[in-house]
Amino acid sequence: MEEVNNNRKPLITFWVIALIVLFVLNFVAVPFMNNRRIEQVDYGTFMEMTENKQIGSVQIQENKILFTNKDESQIYETGLMPDEGLTERLYESGAHFSSQIVEQASPFVEFLVSWVIPIVLFMGIGYLMRRQMTKAMGSDSMMFGGGGLGGFGRSNAKVYVKSSDGIRFDDVAGEEEAKQNLSEIVTYLHDPSKYREIGAKMPKGVLLVGPPGTGKTMLAKAVAGEANVPFFSMSGSEFVEMFVGMGASKVRDLFRQAKEKAPCIVFIDEIDAIGQKRAAGSQFGGNDEREQTLNQLLTEMDGFEDNAGVIILAATNRPESLDPALTRPGRFDRRVPVELPDLKGREDILKVHAKNIKIGQDVNFNKIARMAAGASGAELANIVNEAALRAVRDGRPFATEADMEESIETVIAGYQKKNAILTDKEKLVVSYHEVGHALVAALQDGTAPVQKITIIPRTSGALGYTMQVDKGQKNLYTKQELLSEIATLTGGRAAEEVEFGRITTGASNDIEKATKLARQMITQYGMADEFGMVALETVTNQYLGGDASLACSPETQTKIDEQVVNLVEQQHRKAIDLLKANKSKLDEIAKYLYEKETITGEEFMEILNKKPEFITEKEDTKTEALSDIPEE
Ligand code: ADP
Ligand code: ZN
């Protein structure tokens, strides 16, 4: 990418120059000018000149004599000798005794050099800095006149003269909706005048919202690439600097450059870094720097005309935290969601990235995409790259499907911990635990098929895991499916209880997930009989983990907690019952896993489907309810 770093020389250089000039003037020039006028002569010459009455002024110092000629155009210096009657002779010669020969030598020039020039210099610098600061603060409210830091305020905005990344819409897989939404902007940038003529106004700002790694930056680049216009890019966090006023200055610089290059795209990543809600009445203790930067951004956005040809794209994964002023009409009034890819999207993204590596014919992208449910575009890109790395490590000329599968597991669970030492007993416990999950899943309807069970420890700390993969895209879950999911999560612990009669710490992650799901069912999906369709929690951070905040009374909260406990406990019971009823299958598969360490879903189903028949849950326990949770 062609990147012009438009970094102007900061004002600090002026300071350095000023200091050097001062130094030169005071320590070199002044003495030099004086010295030039002083001529060293020997004592004889002095006596001679005295004799001939050629001396104008004279000054006898401690160890030398300074004197001038009659018209005082030249100063002479000579050493002081013991000389009887020198004073009388000088007096007779008509010399004028002076105490200030050197100082008077050039009073005007010296005054100029050591006072006037430095003062003018400093005043000049002061003025420059003042202007700089005032500009930087975006107002004329100077709080500290002529402070010494204004020079840093110059923008270091990276100017991407052209989006020579060459990213086009085709490179961004999935995200069809977002692309459609943005294609209008591309048309506009091609020919802003068409819009001007008809009087149509393009939005000045478009906010791309979505979880991290979904391709927001890519989309912004693609818009510039498609429209073939310059792409200015800066991250919100880059604006926020140590010194107040600098962020604002950067914003101003960025927009000035953008306006010169219009039509163009200005992309501000992580806009929440500057665009966060301003604290009400935060005169003191507020984040002045951020607020000033935000204010400057708002001013700039209001400042240019509707059809100036500058489109500002901004990305955030925390849209709810943005200051409402940013999303007002005339600013970022269009919002384009960039969501996690669905099954088709994941498949497409994998294919796009697989183009860049050598890959075997056997790879079933659909299968890989199904395994990578919930992965973002960035994670999928990473999965493809990990597969290629693995192929190189193992000396294969191309990446295989097994490489892809392994890299998914790596991304999900971390690398295999080759030298982890588990005792045989621990290994057996883990085997039962994992088979417990798999069996409970397989014995219930509406659960995703088991893809793989393994007891190879991972760097993430997992001692083993069971991977379930949905057959297709799943957007809706029934209450029954969610209950089955909770039962599956408790299946690991249940198997330990059924086989060993005691429990271990190995289920902590399962417990966490089960509790979270149960809680969501009650507070968000309206699946608790007692509460019904009442939202008891609101999700505050949907793109970053989905934190929820309670919106109910303490009494209700207590009831919710009770219900969560009940719900999980019920499913735990169900899991124990299922495993007890199928104890021989549990033993058989657990022993098999213990031996092999990794078994595939097919092997698992083969053993399960052998005679004698397994026993599934009773039909009458099922209830149906709809939920709108996304796949996972
Ligand atoms: P964001 O800005 O949303 O955090 P990026 O645009 O920076 O995400 O994406 C990071 C990387 O992930 C990209 O460079 C690209 O390799 C990959 N990626 C993300 N989304 C997609 C997508 N939809 N299609 C292809 N690659 C993608
Ligand atoms: Zn488990």
Side-chain angles (χ1 to χ4, degrees), residues 116-375:
V116 178
I117 293 182
I119 286 172
V120 167
L121 204 73
F122 276 110
M123 273 168 51
I125 289 171
Y127 170 74
L128 275 176
M129 287 207 15
R130 219 183 166 76
R131 248 188 23 184
Q132 190 77 23
M133 284 301 231
T134 320
K135 255 171 78 182
M137 317 250 304
S139 68
D140 48 8
S141 66
M142 283 294 299
M143 286 189 294
F144 42 99
L149 298 162
F152 296 108
R154 272 299 178 180
S155 163
N156 289 335
K158 285 172 186 160
V159 182
Y160 296 95
V161 167
K162 199 163 193 180
S163 129
S164 40
D165 271 8
I167 290 181
R168 310 296 292 259
F169 276 149
D170 278 348
D171 299 312
V172 190
E175 311 301 347
E176 293 309 321
E177 233 165 293
K179 282 196 261 183
Q180 240 170 44
N181 223 319
L182 293 170
S183 62
E184 192 184 0
I185 291 172
V186 175
T187 331
Y188 166 74
L189 288 171
H190 269 307
D191 190 4
S193 61
K194 224 188 312 183
Y195 286 74
R196 229 170 279 149
E197 274 161 28
I198 211 165
K201 283 180 190 154
M202 257 294 132
K204 285 177 184 172
V206 177
L207 201 57
L208 303 168
V209 295
T214 43
K216 297 184 289 295
T217 310
M218 267 189 111
L219 277 165
K221 280 186 186 168
V223 172
E226 291 283 337
N228 198 21
V229 297
F231 180 68
F232 294 81
S233 157
M234 204 142 164
S235 166
S237 54
E238 280 176 71
F239 285 115
V240 184
E241 296 259 347
M242 206 185 330
F243 302 112
V244 174
M246 264 148 241
S249 162
K250 282 187 173 181
V251 171
R252 206 176 9 254
D253 251 35
L254 181 67
F255 278 85
R256 189 180 43 69
Q257 291 174 25
K259 274 181 257 179
E260 281 166 14
K261 288 257 171 30
C264 68
I265 293 282
V266 174
F267 177 60
I268 305 174
D269 204 357
E270 302 171 44
I271 194 164
D272 39 284
I274 46 168
Q276 261 175 42
K277 286 196 183 81
R278 287 168 289 189
S282 70
Q283 291 224 318
F284 308 97
N287 191 336
D288 282 346
E289 164 65 352
R290 216 190 49 218
E291 272 171 39
Q292 278 190 16
T293 311
L294 176 57
N295 285 339
Q296 188 61 41
L297 181 65
L298 298 178
T299 313
E300 290 290 342
M301 288 191 77
D302 294 343
F304 64 81
E305 289 159 43
D306 285 325
N307 280 323
V310 181
I311 298 277
I312 305 144
L313 301 180
T316 179
N317 38 40
R318 305 174 57 199
E320 71 286 338
S321 76
L322 290 183
D323 197 294
L326 262 179
T327 46
R328 266 208 343 235
R331 290 164 183 172
F332 291 100
D333 45 7
R334 191 178 284 193
R335 187 183 276 233
V336 174
V338 187
E339 301 286 351
L340 285 175
D342 57 8
L343 177 58
K344 171 87 172 39
R346 289 198 300 274
E347 198 176 331
D348 291 344
I349 294 173
L350 284 171
K351 282 178 183 163
V352 163
H353 287 279
K355 274 190 206 136
N356 303 327
I357 67 165
K358 282 210 176 114
I359 199 146
Q361 301 288 316
D362 69 320
V363 178
N364 179 345
F365 286 103
N366 180 273
K367 181 180 164 198
I368 306 294
R370 279 190 287 121
M371 285 175 74

Side-chain angles (χ1 to χ4, degrees), residues 457-579:
R458 295 273 165 172
T459 45
S460 67
L463 295 175
Y465 61 85
T466 304
M467 187 188 251
Q468 288 171 265
V469 177
D470 266 315
K471 285 203 193 74
Q473 173 73 24
K474 204 144 169 57
N475 300 309
L476 277 180
Y477 287 81
T478 62
K479 179 175 176 182
Q480 184 54 42
E481 282 167 339
L482 295 184
L483 290 175
S484 302
E485 173 70 23
I486 295 176
T488 304
L489 286 165
T490 60
R493 162 71 58 94
E496 291 180 44
E497 286 169 282
V498 169
E499 172 62 21
F500 305 102
R502 44 172 202 200
I503 52 181
T504 67
T505 54
S508 61
N509 189 26
D510 301 335
I511 293 170
E512 202 182 309
K513 282 192 198 153
T515 312
K516 188 172 175 200
L517 189 51
R519 198 176 184 88
Q520 282 179 326
M521 287 177 70
I522 293 163
T523 62
Q524 290 172 28
Y525 308 140
M527 287 178 175
D529 298 333
E530 184 170 344
F531 299 121
M533 284 182 61
V534 175
L536 301 169
E537 267 182 355
T538 44
V539 178
T540 51
N541 212 344
Q542 62 168 331
Y543 293 122
L544 297 171
D547 298 335
S549 62
L550 276 171
C552 59
S553 67
E555 295 81 49
T556 314
Q557 218 167 310
T558 318
K559 276 191 204 151
I560 293 172
D561 290 335
E562 269 169 33
Q563 296 232 356
V564 170
V565 173
N566 286 344
L567 211 157
V568 175
E569 192 42 42
Q570 263 174 28
Q571 297 310 309
H572 185 191
R573 284 266 122 236
K574 184 167 92 185
I576 291 181
D577 291 345
L578 279 171
L579 292 176

Side-chain angles (χ1 to χ4, degrees), residues 433-434 437 492 506 510:
H433 180 106
E434 295 308 332
H437 285 307
D510 301 335

